[in-house]
Amino acid sequence: PGKKIMTIRFVIQQVESASLVLDNDKQTEHIKAGLLIYMTILKDTETNEDVMASIDKLLKARVFKPSTSSKPISLKEGIEKHHMDMMILPQASLGGKLKSNRLQYHANVKKELGESFYSVAVKSLRDAAASSSTVVHGTYGNTQMLTMNAMSGPFTLFMEL
């Protein structure tokens, strides 16, 4: 049995709504009630299958508690039954590590691979979404402007998968 390798870090935040300005104000994406999914792909990621396995674990995690249920449900169930929208954002800063008072990003995958793996992750999440859900995503390697209204709570998770 080999060592468990983490391939993706996620921060997931439940929101009432969110807007994302892309490509220097040329395009704006919006979601209604749903999830912001920030992610960074780590350098131990080697294949598209690694990415899809992490997304599969994320979708099966029973961590969301809708107001209509007393027990937690999976992300996949939340998306399908509660029609949650998703906004997926690449977030390289999640791979940062403080060393001598400076952040270093040696844990992140190289940019070219990261962009390819990010596309695989977006497609996997889009495929999991209900047809009535909106799924939008940011662009890899570009500055973007995010505006959001968080759920009361707020509800935010950090996961390494």
Side-chain angles (χ1 to χ4, degrees):
K3 179 182 170 192
K4 171 78 174 100
I5 296 173
M6 302 297 175
T7 59
I8 303 178
R9 286 186 183 148
F10 299 95
V11 170
I12 302 167
Q13 187 164 24
Q14 201 163 358
V15 297
E16 290 288 343
S17 63
S19 297
L20 183 67
V21 178
L22 300 165
D23 302 324
N24 301 318
D25 299 331
K26 293 180 184 168
Q27 180 182 355
T28 304
E29 299 285 1
H30 305 277
I31 63 168
K32 295 179 184 169
L35 302 170
L36 285 179
I37 302 175
Y38 303 94
M39 60 185 293
T40 194
I41 300 171
L42 304 174
K43 68 180 178 184
D44 289 331
T45 306
E46 296 178 349
T47 66
N48 290 345
E49 289 73 24
D50 291 342
V51 174
M52 291 186 292
S54 288
I55 297 298
D56 188 54
K57 288 178 193 174
L58 176 68
L59 290 169
K60 290 178 180 175
R62 293 186 170 276
V63 294
F64 298 99
K65 190 169 180 254
S67 58
T68 58
S69 175
S70 61
K71 59 184 180 176
I73 62 171
S74 69
L75 173 60
K76 185 165 179 57
E77 190 176 348
I79 293 166
E80 291 173 347
K81 292 185 179 174
H82 299 278
H83 307 286
M84 291 185 191
D85 289 349
M86 287 187 283
M87 181 177 284
I88 307 157
L89 302 168
Q91 189 70 34
S93 62
L94 292 175
K97 183 176 181 180
L98 192 62
K99 185 172 181 181
S100 299
N101 297 322
R102 299 180 82 183
L103 278 176
Q104 296 183 348
Y105 298 95
H106 300 301
N108 290 357
V109 72
K110 293 194 183 308
K111 184 176 179 180
E112 302 76 29
L113 272 176
E115 190 167 9
S116 173
F117 289 150
Y118 175 70
S119 294
V120 170
V122 167
K123 182 182 182 323
S124 294
L125 287 165
R126 188 180 300 279
D127 289 349
S131 59
S132 60
S133 297
T134 299
V135 180
V136 299
H137 60 88
T139 55
Y140 195 90
N142 292 332
T143 301
Q144 301 155 99
M145 187 181 324
L146 172 67
T147 305
M148 61 137 170
N149 295 313
M151 299 283 287
S152 59
F155 182 79
T156 305
L157 297 170
F158 172 79
M159 301 171 104
E160 280 189 337
L161 303 172

Short mmCIF file of all heavy atoms in Angstrom, two decimals, residues 132-160:
data_model
loop_
_atom_site.label_atom_id
_atom_site.label_comp_id
_atom_site.label_asym_id
_atom_site.label_seq_id
_atom_site.Cartn_x
_atom_site.Cartn_y
_atom_site.Cartn_z
N SER A 132 -31.14 21.72 -14.64
CA SER A 132 -31.69 23.01 -14.24
C SER A 132 -30.68 23.87 -13.47
O SER A 132 -30.99 25.00 -13.11
CB SER A 132 -32.94 22.80 -13.37
OG SER A 132 -32.58 22.05 -12.23
N SER A 133 -29.49 23.34 -13.22
CA SER A 133 -28.46 24.09 -12.51
C SER A 133 -27.56 24.83 -13.49
O SER A 133 -27.27 24.34 -14.57
CB SER A 133 -27.60 23.14 -11.68
OG SER A 133 -28.37 22.52 -10.69
N THR A 134 -27.10 25.98 -13.06
CA THR A 134 -26.14 26.75 -13.83
C THR A 134 -24.74 26.39 -13.34
O THR A 134 -24.50 26.36 -12.14
CB THR A 134 -26.37 28.26 -13.65
OG1 THR A 134 -27.69 28.57 -14.12
CG2 THR A 134 -25.35 29.08 -14.40
N VAL A 135 -23.83 26.10 -14.27
CA VAL A 135 -22.44 25.83 -13.92
C VAL A 135 -21.57 26.77 -14.74
O VAL A 135 -21.62 26.76 -15.97
CB VAL A 135 -22.05 24.36 -14.21
CG1 VAL A 135 -20.59 24.11 -13.84
CG2 VAL A 135 -22.96 23.40 -13.48
N VAL A 136 -20.80 27.61 -14.05
CA VAL A 136 -19.89 28.53 -14.73
C VAL A 136 -18.50 28.34 -14.11
O VAL A 136 -18.36 27.76 -13.04
CB VAL A 136 -20.35 30.00 -14.61
CG1 VAL A 136 -21.72 30.19 -15.25
CG2 VAL A 136 -20.37 30.47 -13.18
N HIS A 137 -17.50 28.82 -14.82
CA HIS A 137 -16.15 28.66 -14.29
C HIS A 137 -15.27 29.82 -14.71
O HIS A 137 -15.51 30.49 -15.71
CB HIS A 137 -15.54 27.34 -14.77
CG HIS A 137 -15.42 27.23 -16.25
ND1 HIS A 137 -14.32 27.68 -16.94
CD2 HIS A 137 -16.28 26.74 -17.18
CE1 HIS A 137 -14.49 27.45 -18.23
NE2 HIS A 137 -15.68 26.89 -18.40
N GLY A 138 -14.25 30.04 -13.87
CA GLY A 138 -13.27 31.06 -14.16
C GLY A 138 -12.25 30.54 -15.17
O GLY A 138 -12.29 29.38 -15.57
N THR A 139 -11.35 31.41 -15.57
CA THR A 139 -10.31 31.03 -16.51
C THR A 139 -9.01 30.80 -15.75
O THR A 139 -8.69 31.51 -14.81
CB THR A 139 -10.11 32.11 -17.59
OG1 THR A 139 -9.85 33.36 -16.96
CG2 THR A 139 -11.34 32.23 -18.46
N TYR A 140 -8.28 29.80 -16.16
CA TYR A 140 -7.05 29.41 -15.49
C TYR A 140 -5.92 30.38 -15.82
O TYR A 140 -5.68 30.70 -16.97
CB TYR A 140 -6.67 27.98 -15.93
CG TYR A 140 -5.64 27.35 -15.06
CD1 TYR A 140 -6.00 26.60 -13.95
CD2 TYR A 140 -4.28 27.49 -15.33
CE1 TYR A 140 -5.06 26.02 -13.13
CE2 TYR A 140 -3.33 26.91 -14.51
CZ TYR A 140 -3.72 26.17 -13.42
OH TYR A 140 -2.78 25.59 -12.61
N GLY A 141 -5.25 30.87 -14.79
CA GLY A 141 -4.08 31.72 -14.98
C GLY A 141 -4.37 33.19 -15.24
O GLY A 141 -3.46 33.95 -15.54
N ASN A 142 -5.62 33.62 -15.12
CA ASN A 142 -5.98 35.02 -15.36
C ASN A 142 -6.55 35.65 -14.09
O ASN A 142 -7.15 34.97 -13.27
CB ASN A 142 -7.03 35.14 -16.46
CG ASN A 142 -6.48 34.76 -17.80
OD1 ASN A 142 -5.30 34.88 -18.07
ND2 ASN A 142 -7.35 34.25 -18.67
N THR A 143 -6.38 36.95 -13.98
CA THR A 143 -7.00 37.69 -12.88
C THR A 143 -8.50 37.81 -13.15
O THR A 143 -8.92 38.06 -14.28
CB THR A 143 -6.37 39.10 -12.77
OG1 THR A 143 -4.98 38.94 -12.56
CG2 THR A 143 -6.99 39.88 -11.64
N GLN A 144 -9.29 37.61 -12.10
CA GLN A 144 -10.73 37.66 -12.22
C GLN A 144 -11.28 38.43 -11.03
O GLN A 144 -10.64 38.50 -9.98
CB GLN A 144 -11.31 36.24 -12.24
CG GLN A 144 -10.74 35.45 -13.41
CD GLN A 144 -10.76 33.96 -13.18
OE1 GLN A 144 -11.66 33.33 -13.65
NE2 GLN A 144 -9.81 33.43 -12.46
N MET A 145 -12.46 39.01 -11.17
CA MET A 145 -13.07 39.76 -10.07
C MET A 145 -14.35 39.06 -9.66
O MET A 145 -15.25 38.84 -10.47
CB MET A 145 -13.39 41.19 -10.50
CG MET A 145 -13.87 42.03 -9.34
SD MET A 145 -14.32 43.73 -9.75
CE MET A 145 -13.17 44.19 -10.99
N LEU A 146 -14.42 38.71 -8.37
CA LEU A 146 -15.54 37.96 -7.83
C LEU A 146 -16.33 38.84 -6.87
O LEU A 146 -15.77 39.53 -6.03
CB LEU A 146 -15.01 36.73 -7.07
CG LEU A 146 -16.02 35.92 -6.27
CD1 LEU A 146 -17.02 35.23 -7.20
CD2 LEU A 146 -15.30 34.91 -5.41
N THR A 147 -17.66 38.78 -7.01
CA THR A 147 -18.57 39.41 -6.06
C THR A 147 -19.55 38.33 -5.63
O THR A 147 -20.07 37.60 -6.48
CB THR A 147 -19.36 40.56 -6.72
OG1 THR A 147 -18.43 41.46 -7.30
CG2 THR A 147 -20.23 41.27 -5.72
N MET A 148 -19.79 38.23 -4.31
CA MET A 148 -20.71 37.19 -3.85
C MET A 148 -21.48 37.63 -2.62
O MET A 148 -21.06 38.52 -1.90
CB MET A 148 -19.95 35.92 -3.55
CG MET A 148 -18.94 36.08 -2.47
SD MET A 148 -19.00 34.70 -1.38
CE MET A 148 -17.54 35.03 -0.42
N ASN A 149 -22.61 36.98 -2.42
CA ASN A 149 -23.41 37.12 -1.21
C ASN A 149 -23.41 35.77 -0.53
O ASN A 149 -23.99 34.81 -1.06
CB ASN A 149 -24.85 37.54 -1.55
CG ASN A 149 -24.90 38.92 -2.15
OD1 ASN A 149 -24.27 39.84 -1.65
ND2 ASN A 149 -25.62 39.06 -3.25
N ALA A 150 -22.75 35.68 0.62
CA ALA A 150 -22.63 34.41 1.33
C ALA A 150 -23.94 34.04 2.02
O ALA A 150 -24.75 34.90 2.33
CB ALA A 150 -21.51 34.49 2.37
N MET A 151 -24.11 32.75 2.24
CA MET A 151 -25.26 32.27 3.01
C MET A 151 -25.08 32.69 4.45
O MET A 151 -23.97 32.91 4.90
CB MET A 151 -25.32 30.73 2.97
CG MET A 151 -25.48 30.13 1.59
SD MET A 151 -27.13 30.24 0.96
CE MET A 151 -27.98 29.04 1.91
N SER A 152 -26.18 32.78 5.18
CA SER A 152 -26.03 33.07 6.61
C SER A 152 -25.28 31.90 7.22
O SER A 152 -25.46 30.76 6.86
CB SER A 152 -27.39 33.27 7.26
OG SER A 152 -28.17 32.11 7.11
N GLY A 153 -24.44 32.18 8.09
CA GLY A 153 -23.59 31.16 8.68
C GLY A 153 -22.18 31.66 8.84
O GLY A 153 -21.75 31.89 9.93
N PRO A 154 -21.40 31.91 7.86
CA PRO A 154 -21.41 31.33 6.52
C PRO A 154 -20.98 29.87 6.56
O PRO A 154 -20.48 29.39 7.57
CB PRO A 154 -20.37 32.16 5.77
CG PRO A 154 -19.41 32.59 6.82
CD PRO A 154 -20.23 32.75 8.07
N PHE A 155 -21.17 29.17 5.46
CA PHE A 155 -20.81 27.76 5.38
C PHE A 155 -19.65 27.63 4.41
O PHE A 155 -19.80 27.85 3.21
CB PHE A 155 -22.01 26.96 4.88
CG PHE A 155 -21.74 25.48 4.81
CD1 PHE A 155 -21.77 24.72 5.97
CD2 PHE A 155 -21.43 24.88 3.62
CE1 PHE A 155 -21.51 23.36 5.92
CE2 PHE A 155 -21.16 23.53 3.55
CZ PHE A 155 -21.21 22.76 4.71
N THR A 156 -18.46 27.27 4.93
CA THR A 156 -17.25 27.15 4.12
C THR A 156 -16.50 25.90 4.53
O THR A 156 -16.34 25.64 5.73
CB THR A 156 -16.35 28.39 4.32
OG1 THR A 156 -17.11 29.56 4.04
CG2 THR A 156 -15.14 28.34 3.40
N LEU A 157 -16.02 25.14 3.55
CA LEU A 157 -15.27 23.91 3.81
C LEU A 157 -13.92 23.96 3.12
O LEU A 157 -13.79 24.50 2.04
CB LEU A 157 -16.01 22.70 3.22
CG LEU A 157 -17.35 22.35 3.78
CD1 LEU A 157 -18.01 21.29 2.91
CD2 LEU A 157 -17.22 21.85 5.20
N PHE A 158 -12.91 23.32 3.74
CA PHE A 158 -11.61 23.09 3.12
C PHE A 158 -11.43 21.58 3.01
O PHE A 158 -11.65 20.87 3.98
CB PHE A 158 -10.49 23.70 3.97
CG PHE A 158 -9.12 23.32 3.48
CD1 PHE A 158 -8.56 23.97 2.40
CD2 PHE A 158 -8.38 22.32 4.10
CE1 PHE A 158 -7.30 23.63 1.93
CE2 PHE A 158 -7.13 21.97 3.65
CZ PHE A 158 -6.60 22.63 2.56
N MET A 159 -11.05 21.11 1.82
CA MET A 159 -10.85 19.66 1.63
C MET A 159 -9.62 19.42 0.77
O MET A 159 -9.37 20.15 -0.18
CB MET A 159 -12.07 19.05 0.93
CG MET A 159 -13.37 19.24 1.67
SD MET A 159 -14.75 18.71 0.65
CE MET A 159 -15.11 17.17 1.42
N GLU A 160 -8.88 18.39 1.11
CA GLU A 160 -7.79 17.89 0.27
C GLU A 160 -8.17 16.49 -0.16
O GLU A 160 -8.39 15.63 0.67
CB GLU A 160 -6.47 17.82 1.06
CG GLU A 160 -5.78 19.12 1.20
CD GLU A 160 -4.38 18.96 1.79
OE1 GLU A 160 -4.11 17.95 2.47
OE2 GLU A 160 -3.57 19.85 1.57
#
